[in-house]
Amino acid sequence: DWQPVRGLDELEAAVAAASAAGQPVLLDLYADWCISCKVMERTVFPRPEVASRMQAFRLLKADVTRNSAEDRALLDAYGLFGPPSMVFFGPDGREIVDARIQGEIAAG
């Protein structure tokens, strides 16, 4: 289950809570108008080999549909151009920069 987060403050609090529990985090940034986001939700995330790996993470989802100042601040804080984007944090709460994904991906 994806936990919704809105804005940088909520994201940082959720990452801190996961870190306190020793759990890594997967942040999915999506928008309702993002066709690639919808494709990934239907064809990538449900795949058994993907879903089983995702179980190890606290799953956070940031909806940037409105492209509000709060949404832009979140994207800018991580240097992201927009959705779909996935940001990974280790159990220590620090981003794993090399694992960052921007753009549509396939399961294979």
Side-chain angles (χ1 to χ4, degrees), residues 23-44:
Q23 192 173 25
V25 169
L26 165 55
L27 170 65
D28 177 35
L29 291 106
Y30 85 104
D32 290 344
W33 44 260
C34 172
I35 302 303
S36 294
C37 297
K38 293 180 184 302
V39 168
M40 290 169 49
E41 285 178 352
R42 281 193 317 269
T43 65
V44 177

Side-chain angles (χ1 to χ4, degrees), residues 1 30 37 46 49 68 71 95 98-99:
D1 289 337
Y30 85 104
C37 297
E49 64 272 23
S68 66
D71 296 343
E95 182 188 355
D98 292 342

Side-chain angles (χ1 to χ4, degrees), residues 30-108:
Y30 85 104
D32 290 344
W33 44 260
C34 172
I35 302 303
S36 294
C37 297
K38 293 180 184 302
V39 168
M40 290 169 49
E41 285 178 352
R42 281 193 317 269
T43 65
V44 177
F45 296 154
R47 299 269 309 257
E49 64 272 23
V50 175
S52 67
R53 289 185 178 161
M54 288 172 56
Q55 289 178 356
F57 293 87
R58 181 162 304 176
L59 302 174
L60 305 178
K61 188 172 287 260
D63 180 353
V64 295
T65 299
R66 297 178 305 142
N67 200 30
S68 66
E70 184 178 48
D71 296 343
R72 292 293 334 148
L74 177 58
L75 291 167
D76 291 347
Y78 290 94
L80 301 169
F81 56 82
S85 297
M86 297 170 72
V87 181
F88 296 84
F89 299 87
D92 61 0
R94 290 190 296 211
E95 182 188 355
I96 305 168
V97 177
D98 292 342
R100 184 185 291 186
I101 299 169
Q102 291 191 67
E104 186 176 333
I105 59 168

